[in-house]
Amino acid sequence: MVHRVAVIGAGPSGLASIKACLDEGLVPTCFESSDDMGGLWKFKEVSEPNRASIYRSLTINISKEMMCYSDFPIPADYPNYMHHSKILKYFKMYAEHFKLLQHVRFQTSVKSVTQRPDFTRTGQWEVVTENKDGQEERHVFDAVICCSGHYTYPNMPLKDFPGIETFEGKYFHSWDYKGSEDMLGKRVVVIGIGNSGGDIAVESSRVAEQVYMSSRRGAWIIRQVSDNGLPVDMKYNTRFVHILFQLLPINVLNWIGEKKLNAMYDHTTYAIKPKHRLFSQIPVINDDLPFKILSGSVIMKPNVKEIRGSTVIFTDGSVVEKVDVIVFATGYNYDFPFLPNSAMYKSGHRVGLYKHVFPPNLEHPTLAVVGFIHALGAIMPQAEMQARWVTRVFKGYNKLPSNQAMIKAVENDTKEMDKNFIVSKLTPLQVDFVSYMDDIAGEIGARPSLLWLFFTDYSLFKKVLWGPVTSYQYRLMGPGKWNGARRAIFTQFDRMFQALKTRKVDEPEPSYVGRLMKLTLTVMAGGAAVYYVHVLIQSCPVWVLIWEDITRVIV
């Protein structure tokens, strides 16, 4: 029986794991190598080896309602897109509210996690830690949750850039970037067009003489501010849109999405059009980069072919001279150096984990990785859902399939990802946010049932169907049900708008035509939902569907 659990890391995934352990009556001990909680979101002026690092101006690109934990809404007066300091403050509020910090041992690094000699019988692990004074300590735990993140080991592919050793200026990875003060009056080349590369190019362009952005593949760029000024994720990350993704061909959806993006700024004209389709890879989220390209502050370039002194030569033959700084925004490698190799099952480019959580080749399911996931959505709700499932497995309430079945599922996942997404060594996995959340929630009986809500709480049904897929939906039923979940869903837009109400203005009266159109669309959405349920019924026995819905509500 699992009782004592080691949690490695006190970032957003580690905090969620500590709370999940406490909710299930387990006793967690969290080991955090730094002197504070927050993980990635704890800003430090100097980057520390083997730790995630962020820049001074970093603001999250996921809105607050879509990133918060499922039973602890972010305060209404907090901005919708929060600076890293606000995010850390929210984490501290969360930790204090649920009394999590008393379970954290700061400035304690995990050196190794190994199976005990009697693992076959007990499933226990020996964890070796080291404190700030270099003193080692050995512990025995019934289970381990690894929450060490995957933005820790910068990828610097210098061998792919011939002549880099001759470069006369300064070059570094985006992991080392803290602010644009060193870019003043400089000529800068940013290599890579991910979210960090876009932010650094935009910020540097405000003080640099000129910024060039080199991209091998290009990228689709979406705005955080969407239609009517709403956060883009609250506008489009809905169950109704998710249903459309199940019903319509992906090529049609790609065409619709690309057409909408190109209507704002044509990606071909702006020289940013990628080789892949829109939904094959997570897009770059950046409102400022298109304007910086339009104003000439950032000039797009293809991949770097060669570097000669202070000259950078690109694959199209173009040349930029007198370059002072090169920033490698080239992603991160991932590693779990303290975990045993025997627990790391390889599948394609990634560590093969059953549902991206459990090693599929262990005798006992007492080791889990939480937060090692990649989707167009915040890590907080995903890690929280994983942790809720993990602790239910540890307690014996949920059973995993056989090792053979899990390995087969891992290999099938790898094939599906290779088929649907652009994956590589640096981005080895990607999932659909709603599908993944629903899948894990289904494991513990917390997935919201549209069918049940349609017949028992129609007003809530409309919110769940039409509104954003916020984490509160996964507290409506099942284990961990939260009595405040329904109200949180009904007030999520109130909290979103509250942060904007800093100056009183006269609000227009809603028109009759607008109300009629909303009613019509709601009826149409209800029909789509009924059709979706019909498709589900066709694919599985009716009694299974009804039984799952009834048991979710009863539990």
Side-chain angles (χ1 to χ4, degrees):
M1 176 67 70
V2 171
H3 184 60
R4 298 182 67 243
V5 180
V7 178
I8 304 173
S13 300
L15 294 176
S17 297
I18 297 170
K19 182 180 178 295
C21 286
L22 295 174
D23 287 346
E24 294 295 344
L26 300 171
V27 179
T29 299
C30 177
F31 300 106
E32 168 56 44
S33 61
S34 76
D35 58 359
D36 201 357
M37 48 160 285
L40 171 73
W41 298 100
K42 172 62 178 179
F43 173 77
K44 294 202 172 185
E45 285 290 345
V46 179
S47 300
E48 298 177 351
N50 302 326
R51 291 191 55 77
S53 176
I54 56 177
Y55 30 98
R56 197 175 295 109
S57 63
L58 180 62
T59 297
I60 196 169
N61 55 24
I62 305 294
S63 67
K64 66 178 181 182
E65 289 297 310
M66 299 297 290
M67 64 152 277
C68 68
Y69 294 114
S70 60
D71 53 0
F72 197 73
I74 293 172
D77 61 343
Y78 274 40
N80 285 285
Y81 291 107
M82 299 192 295
H83 185 256
H84 64 74
S85 59
K86 286 281 189 182
I87 295 174
L88 184 63
K89 187 174 181 181
Y90 167 68
F91 288 155
K92 290 186 175 181
M93 292 166 56
Y94 177 78
E96 290 170 5
H97 180 78
F98 292 108
K99 298 178 173 57
L100 307 182
L101 293 183
Q102 65 196 57
H103 301 279
V104 182
R105 293 178 57 174
F106 292 106
Q107 295 183 301
T108 305
S109 301
V110 172
K111 308 304 291 184
S112 68
V113 177
T114 55
Q115 297 175 357
R116 294 270 293 165
D118 57 355
F119 181 83
T120 300
R121 180 174 59 84
T122 65
Q124 290 182 330
W125 299 85
E126 181 174 271
V127 178
V128 178
T129 61
E130 182 180 276
N131 64 18
K132 63 179 180 179
D133 299 320
Q135 296 177 327
E136 286 194 356
E137 189 176 353
R138 296 179 180 274
H139 318 259
V140 176
F141 288 98
D142 301 314
V144 176
I145 305 177
C146 176
C147 308
S148 56
H150 51 281
Y151 295 111
T152 303
Y153 305 102
N155 176 56
M156 284 281 278
L158 298 182
K159 60 180 176 54
D160 295 335
F161 298 90
I164 186 65
E165 69 280 358
T166 71
F167 183 57
E168 297 171 358
K170 177 182 179 182
Y171 68 86
F172 56 89
H173 193 274
S174 57
W175 180 82
D176 280 312
Y177 177 82
K178 295 300 176 182
S180 62
E181 53 273 5
D182 291 336
M183 309 296 193
L184 182 63
K186 302 292 180 62
R187 292 168 64 80
V188 181
V189 173
V190 178
I191 299 176
I193 195 173
N195 285 312
S196 295
D199 285 350
I200 293 170
V202 166
E203 187 169 78
S204 298
S205 71
R206 298 190 177 106
V207 299
E209 176 187 320
Q210 183 64 60
V211 173
Y212 300 88
M213 184 168 229
S214 168
S215 174
R216 182 176 52 189
R217 296 187 56 90
W220 294 103
I221 301 178
I222 66 175
R223 301 184 305 178
Q224 291 166 279
V225 182
S226 184
D227 306 339
N228 301 314
L230 295 178
V232 65
D233 47 10
M234 292 193 75
K235 179 74 175 180
Y236 290 107
N237 202 350
T238 68
R239 287 195 176 276
F240 180 69
V241 170
H242 180 65
I243 290 171
L244 292 181
F245 269 79
Q246 313 307 308
L247 300 178
L248 298 178
I250 190 62
N251 286 337
V252 172
L253 295 165
N254 278 318
W255 181 82
I256 293 172
E258 291 166 9
K259 185 175 178 63
K260 185 172 180 64
L261 291 183
N262 283 324
M264 292 183 282
Y265 30 82
D266 186 275
H267 282 56
T268 300
T269 301
Y270 279 61
I272 53 178
K273 183 180 179 181
K275 299 176 182 179
H276 58 267
R277 302 302 302 272
L278 174 58
F279 297 112
S280 295
Q281 193 174 62
I282 294 175
V284 173
I285 305 176
N286 196 308
D287 291 47
D288 298 324
L289 183 56
F291 171 72
K292 289 297 182 179
I293 295 173
L294 189 63
S295 67
S297 301
V298 175
I299 297 176
M300 294 303 303
K301 287 290 184 180
N303 201 30
V304 173
K305 177 183 179 182
E306 186 181 357
I307 298 168
R308 296 178 186 169
S310 62
T311 299
V312 177
I313 304 168
F314 298 93
T315 53
D316 63 353
S318 61
V319 175
V320 173
E321 298 178 333
K322 299 180 180 178
V323 175
D324 301 294
V325 180
I326 298 177
V327 182
F328 287 89
T330 45
Y332 292 83
N333 297 306
Y334 66 92
D335 194 14
F336 306 98
F338 43 80
L339 294 182
N341 291 330
S342 59
M344 295 292 99
Y345 177 80
K346 292 288 185 179
S347 179
H349 295 290
R350 67 190 180 109
V351 171
L353 300 170
Y354 178 63
K355 295 187 184 292
H356 309 292
V357 176
F358 287 100
N361 55 342
L362 296 178
E363 287 183 80
H364 297 281
T366 54
L367 172 64
V369 178
V370 167
F372 188 62
I373 194 71
H374 199 48
L376 186 55
I379 190 62
M380 299 76 171
Q382 294 177 88
E384 180 189 43
M385 183 56 67
Q386 290 177 327
R388 290 171 65 188
W389 177 41
V390 165
T391 52
R392 300 280 296 177
V393 171
F394 286 172
K395 288 288 288 187
Y397 298 143
N398 290 92
K399 302 293 184 183
L400 298 183
S402 67
N403 292 88
Q404 185 178 2
M406 286 194 288
I407 289 173
K408 183 177 180 180
V410 167
E411 296 299 338
N412 288 338
D413 277 349
T414 299
K415 291 177 183 176
E416 282 298 306
M417 284 188 288
D418 286 340
K419 175 183 175 183
N420 297 323
F421 303 111
I422 304 296
V423 293
S424 65
K425 180 182 177 182
L426 299 182
T427 55
L429 63 103
Q430 182 175 334
V431 298
D432 175 77
F433 178 80
V434 179
S435 296
Y436 185 71
M437 290 287 286
D438 278 356
D439 183 27
I440 303 302
E443 291 289 334
I444 65 172
R447 183 177 65 233
S449 168
L450 287 177
L451 183 63
W452 183 270
L453 292 176
F454 182 82
F455 288 111
T456 62
D457 194 338
Y458 184 67
S459 59
L460 180 58
F461 163 81
K462 290 189 295 181
K463 295 288 185 182
V464 171
L465 175 68
W466 272 111
V469 185
T470 47
S471 58
Y472 318 126
Q473 294 188 10
Y474 301 99
R475 292 286 183 178
L476 289 170
M477 53 188 64
K481 178 180 178 180
W482 176 45
N483 291 333
R486 186 180 189 276
R487 184 174 184 278
I489 291 171
F490 273 82
T491 56
Q492 56 197 6
F493 276 97
D494 295 338
R495 285 187 297 279
M496 189 215 82
F497 286 119
Q498 182 63 41
L500 301 173
K501 293 181 178 179
T502 56
R503 172 177 170 268
K504 186 173 178 59
V505 295
D506 295 330
E507 297 184 14
E509 291 288 330
S511 67
Y512 172 76
V513 174
R515 289 196 296 267
L516 181 61
M517 182 174 292
K518 186 174 182 179
L519 177 62
T520 302
L521 291 174
T522 299
V523 172
M524 292 172 61
V530 171
Y531 177 74
Y532 181 56
V533 171
H534 173 72
V535 171
L536 289 177
I537 292 174
Q538 293 293 320
S539 63
C540 66
V542 176
W543 66 269
V544 173
L545 186 68
I546 295 174
W547 175 251
E548 285 184 351
D549 283 335
I550 292 174
T551 52
R552 282 194 206 110
V553 176
I554 291 175
V555 173

